[in-house]
Amino acid sequence: MRATRGVFFALLAGIVGLSAVAYAAVPQKHDPTPGSTPKPERSQGAGSLPKPKITMHPDKLATTATAKFTFTARGDKPRFQCKLDGRAWSTCQAPVGYSKLAAGSHSFSVRTVGARKKYSKTVRFRWQALEPKDFSITPQLGSLGALFPGAPAQTLPLTIANPNPVPILVTSITVSANASPPGCASAENLILSGASASSASPIQVPANGSVSLPGPGGSAPTIGLRDLPVSQDACQGAQFPLSFSGTARG
């Protein structure tokens, strides 16, 4: 049996579950972005050696501690030297990758190597490695009504805020009940569904901006109460504390 529909209600506590995760790899660009054209630098014995062209590099503002570069130059089997920041020049071939980069400014340099220690002009790319910040999820539950067994699920509106100076793509938003009232197990009585965000269809949040759900970006999580073939009287007037969490990539 279930509680009489006219007097049954379950209240939701005003809960704020804020959580997020660090971002994964930042997409690599295959063409230099406007304003980021690598700057040449004359090297000893530059002569007529063709200078390299950097064909892949990080974003100018990157929220990852890794970086990958590819480059090419005219000629038959050109040889290269590379260096990162103030390190010494070393022989290299594309692709070149770096990891565990500290937050801050970085510079990648590459040059073509000829006979008798002759070098082309140096080509350089500069970028900023940023310390990624967690995004926040703030539920807006003021308009949430009472829950009734078997009634349509209700939307759990929320706002996603991005404190980073680059956009992020939110790939999941989930909701869970932290505790159960006496005699009303949340796992058995509640139906909780996450937002529409996924790896295939992420929700974009602008740099230093926010997005509200539901909205054009996607749907919000929902909550409903199952209609069980047993008494649910213990759920009358119950409060379910909720937590929201999510994942994103930069």
Side-chain angles (χ1 to χ4, degrees):
M1 295 177 59
R2 69 184 185 200
T4 303
R5 191 175 298 271
V7 298
F8 184 95
F9 62 98
L11 300 178
L12 290 171
I15 306 105
V16 286
L18 304 182
S19 66
V21 296
Y23 317 122
V26 172
Q28 304 292 318
K29 291 192 176 180
H30 293 265
D31 292 302
T33 53
S36 65
T37 303
K39 296 182 179 180
E41 176 187 87
R42 290 189 175 275
S43 297
Q44 179 182 1
S48 60
L49 286 175
K51 68 179 181 181
K53 178 182 179 181
I54 296 176
T55 55
M56 180 187 292
H57 56 74
D59 289 315
K60 293 290 288 182
L61 294 176
T63 55
T64 178
T66 62
K68 183 178 180 180
F69 296 87
T70 60
F71 42 86
T72 186
R74 298 191 308 274
D76 184 28
K77 297 181 180 180
R79 294 182 296 143
F80 301 96
Q81 285 187 342
C82 302
K83 71 173 182 176
L84 177 69
D85 300 331
R87 301 178 188 177
W89 288 100
S90 62
T91 301
C92 60
Q93 288 292 334
V96 171
Y98 301 96
S99 60
K100 298 181 180 179
L101 297 174
S105 299
H106 293 282
S107 175
F108 171 76
S109 302
V110 60
R111 64 187 181 186
T112 307
V113 181
R116 300 178 183 178
K117 296 185 179 181
K118 290 185 178 180
Y119 310 112
S120 71
K121 294 180 180 179
T122 297
V123 175
R124 182 179 294 109
F125 179 82
R126 295 185 177 91
W127 79 103
Q128 287 278 338
L130 305 175
E131 188 73 33
K133 300 177 181 178
D134 290 346
F135 67 89
S136 65
I137 305 168
T138 305
Q140 311 288 342
L141 306 181
S143 61
L144 196 64
L147 301 177
F148 295 93
Q154 295 191 46
T155 297
L156 299 172
L158 54 83
T159 299
I160 306 169
N162 173 22
N164 295 282
V166 294
I168 62 171
L169 298 174
V170 177
T171 55
S172 71
I173 296 289
T174 60
V175 57
S176 59
N178 291 337
S180 299
C184 183
S186 58
E188 298 175 3
N189 288 275
L190 294 182
I191 304 173
L192 296 169
S193 299
S196 61
S198 67
S199 296
S201 183
I203 296 172
Q204 181 168 323
V205 185
N208 298 309
S210 62
V211 167
S212 294
L213 299 180
S219 63
T222 61
I223 185 171
L225 193 66
R226 289 187 173 93
D227 188 1
L228 301 178
V230 296
S231 174
Q232 293 174 275
D233 288 348
C235 294
Q236 295 186 44
Q239 292 186 340
F240 298 96
L242 302 177
S243 288
F244 296 80
S245 61
T247 58
R249 62 176 185 261

